[in-house]
Amino acid sequence: MLKTSKKVIGIALAASLLSTGISVFPNNAQAKSTVEITWLGSGQPQEKQAYEQVIKRFEKSHPNVKIKYVVMAAGEQYNIKIKAAMASGNMPDIFYINPENVKSWVGSGKVLNLSKYVKKSDINNIWKPAISKYRFDGKNVGKGDIYALPKDVGPFAFAYNKTMFKKAGIPLPDKDKPYTWKQWIAISKKLTKDTNKDGKLDQWATGLNINWSLAPFVWSNGADWLNAAKNKVTITDPNFEEALQFFVDQTNKYKITPDSKTAATMDTYQRWLKGQEAFFACGPWDVPVFNKLPFDYDLMPWPAGKTGKTATWLGSLGFAVSKTTKHAKEAVEFAMYLSTEKTGQKLVSDLNIQIPNIVDMATSDYLKRKDKPDNKKEFIQIAQDYGRSWPYEYTYTREWYDEFYVGIQAVLDGKVSVKQY
Ligand code: CA
């Protein structure tokens, strides 16, 4: 017991001497000049290995910087850990920030303003909509100074089962001209059938999850959850109601999805994987799994409502630097390296974890690749042109948005009307 506490005191003393710059080790040149940057990340082992290579190269070109990379599983555990770190004031130098937290985390003074360190030329070739997610002027997200750099962008595309189309003799969807809802329903009806003639449907057009896939219908119909000033909920807009009705009708009126009883025996994602559905959502994170499916698939624009323009969500995760970091310059330099350095970006995009953050690389090397999906350009177009942020990224919390979905199952089941809801 006594021994242990002595040791602790010893370390604490050494640490305090070090931080005052007093020499405690005979050969301390290294200790004095080396800066340690802690990065708390999350992700799959594959991703971790890729980033370890990136770290090695960074350390080689920055001999005075040592990166301490700590990786956790992605998800709720990570958020809990970061929130605890924020509360204790003991923050890692670099951590992930979800765009939905920009307003609250910047507002509470946890995140370093990067604008002073980031030159325009540093980010010229990075997806602008992704950078925008991390801009905040103290009032609105989307403009002002930069508080994080994108780790990735997640264009939420629409996929179709090419093999099923060919088998049915239906012309493949146009790469750039979205189906109108009417056209999409007509084709969907053709693709919903009882293929083995046993009297039961075994192939459907789709089976979309409303939490992820309602937005493309709402947005392309000229509606949104919030007004342009982002201070008023607008879900009673007739265009919004129409889009929600159309979503519900996919199951209850047009019957182009498995009904809830059928979906309960196997979920609609599994059915897509088994080749039982013609259309499904697809982000870059799905590609490693989809590329191993026994059928061919490709990307297309989401069907468009009355605006005639396709719309979808563009996700992202960002690298933030702690406002309390002792090594702001080095931490920002490393965050920039992670976000924009070419060899590292090639590494993570070749792993099919994400598309490159660098526009030039995405529109050249990545597009030229021969692996599936053929229409990789759809991902690019979403990242470059028409991908949108979730409505709650503009607000302090997402509670109001989650509230919208609380009773939605009754609407999907046809027990509560859209109007009532
Ligand atoms: Ca059947």
Side-chain angles (χ1 to χ4, degrees):
M1 191 64 198
L2 187 68
K3 214 175 165 188
T4 314
S5 42
K6 245 188 183 166
K7 196 173 164 192
V8 170
I9 291 165
I11 289 169
L13 183 66
S16 75
L17 287 173
L18 262 183
S19 67
T20 55
I22 295 169
S23 175
V24 286
F25 302 113
N27 181 13
N28 76 327
Q30 190 70 23
K32 252 174 85 180
S33 61
T34 300
V35 163
E36 187 181 84
I37 302 292
T38 307
W39 168 24
L40 182 63
S42 66
Q44 304 295 323
Q46 222 192 356
E47 182 176 301
K48 181 178 176 236
Q49 282 166 16
Y51 279 129
E52 278 165 352
Q53 291 186 45
V54 175
I55 289 170
K56 259 188 204 153
R57 271 203 326 283
F58 180 82
E59 287 178 338
K60 215 169 177 182
S61 58
H62 299 73
N64 65 319
V65 183
K66 184 102 192 91
I67 306 295
K68 190 177 164 200
Y69 179 33
V70 182
V71 189
M72 297 178 61
E76 201 41 45
Q77 286 303 316
Y78 185 83
N79 295 335
I80 291 169
K81 177 102 179 170
I82 284 292
K83 277 180 187 156
M86 280 181 182
S88 72
N90 187 16
M91 292 286 288
D93 298 295
I94 296 180
F95 53 98
Y96 292 155
I97 186 169
N98 193 303
E100 71 182 81
N101 293 324
V102 168
K103 255 190 156 170
S104 62
W105 291 8
V106 172
S108 57
K110 303 297 181 194
V111 182
L112 186 72
N113 184 339
L114 307 184
S115 287
K116 190 169 103 186
Y117 305 92
V118 175
K119 293 192 295 285
K120 211 175 169 190
S121 58
D122 292 332
I123 52 166
N124 256 349
N125 205 4
I126 306 301
W127 306 113
K128 281 203 170 55
I131 299 277
S132 279
K133 284 174 179 281
Y134 306 106
R135 286 186 185 276
F136 185 43
D137 66 4
K139 214 173 161 195
N140 296 302
V141 166
K143 41 192 161 184
D145 288 347
I146 298 171
Y147 286 89
L149 295 161
K151 170 186 179 284
D152 58 20
V153 289
F156 196 59
F158 204 41
Y160 67 96
N161 180 326
K162 212 177 200 173
T163 307
M164 194 190 283
F165 265 76
K166 284 186 174 162
K167 214 167 159 186
I170 297 172
L172 300 180
D174 193 284
K175 285 185 169 74
D176 293 310
K177 195 168 170 255
Y179 287 139
T180 63
W181 286 355
K182 210 175 148 189
Q183 288 168 334
W184 184 58
I185 291 298
I187 286 166
S188 289
K189 280 182 174 168
K190 281 186 200 165
L191 290 166
T192 302
K193 53 187 170 188
D194 172 10
T195 56
N196 63 359
K197 310 280 178 221
D198 70 349
K200 283 187 234 159
L201 292 176
D202 43 57
Q203 180 181 298
W204 297 266
T206 190
L208 300 170
N209 181 316
I210 193 164
N211 292 279
W212 298 98
S213 300
L214 177 59
F217 295 96
V218 168
W219 289 335
S220 73
N221 209 42
D224 206 337
W225 278 257
L226 292 176
N227 62 351
K230 314 296 182 196
N231 58 9
K232 193 169 173 268
V233 174
T234 52
I235 59 172
T236 52
D237 172 354
N239 289 339
F240 191 104
E241 290 182 9
E242 189 178 43
L244 179 56
Q245 189 64 57
F246 181 72
F247 194 95
V248 172
D249 286 347
Q250 290 169 32
T251 305
N252 297 345
K253 183 178 172 189
Y254 304 118
K255 302 188 190 301
I256 59 161
T257 77
D259 57 26
S260 55
K261 220 171 116 192
T262 311
T265 61
M266 187 196 292
D267 73 43
T268 51
Y269 173 67
Q270 292 301 326
R271 289 185 190 277
W272 156 261
L273 296 181
K274 285 196 175 297
Q276 296 177 4
E277 289 164 349
F279 305 98
F280 214 79
C282 174
W285 53 86
D286 289 311
V287 168
V289 171
F290 287 13
N291 281 6
K292 286 186 192 136
L293 295 175
F295 58 84
D296 199 6
Y297 78 99
D298 207 357
L299 305 179
M300 60 184 278
W302 284 83
K306 64 169 55 140
T307 64
K309 284 186 183 147
T310 187
T312 189
W313 163 58
L314 178 71
S316 177
L317 195 61
F319 294 116
V321 176
S322 165
K323 202 171 178 179
T324 55
T325 179
K326 290 193 176 72
H327 311 292
K329 186 179 156 278
E330 290 84 0
V332 177
E333 218 171 313
F334 180 56
M336 183 71 80
Y337 193 87
L338 285 170
S339 179
T340 67
E341 191 266 335
K342 276 188 182 152
T343 317
Q345 283 301 304
K346 174 112 174 65
L347 207 63
V348 287
S349 64
D350 283 353
L351 276 177
N352 259 339
I353 294 169
Q354 63 180 74
I355 68 167
N357 286 339
I358 305 168
V359 178
D360 284 353
M361 185 183 287
T363 53
S364 57
D365 295 20
Y366 172 73
L367 274 189
K368 279 184 206 142
R369 264 167 41 186
K370 295 285 175 228
D371 57 342
K372 287 190 268 187
D374 284 344
N375 186 21
K376 294 182 182 65
K377 207 175 159 196
E378 193 61 37
F379 282 147
I380 307 281
Q381 286 169 322
I382 296 169
Q384 204 158 29
D385 304 333
Y386 68 86
R388 300 201 195 184
S389 294
W390 290 124
Y392 54 79
E393 291 177 25
Y394 299 101
T395 61
Y396 276 96
T397 85
R398 57 178 290 167
E399 280 168 36
W400 65 273
Y401 179 83
D402 292 339
E403 187 70 22
F404 170 78
Y405 286 98
V406 168
I408 205 85
Q409 192 57 44
V411 184
L412 292 171
D413 294 341
K415 288 175 188 152
V416 173
S417 76
V418 165
K419 196 92 199 159
Q420 249 180 307
Y421 189 65

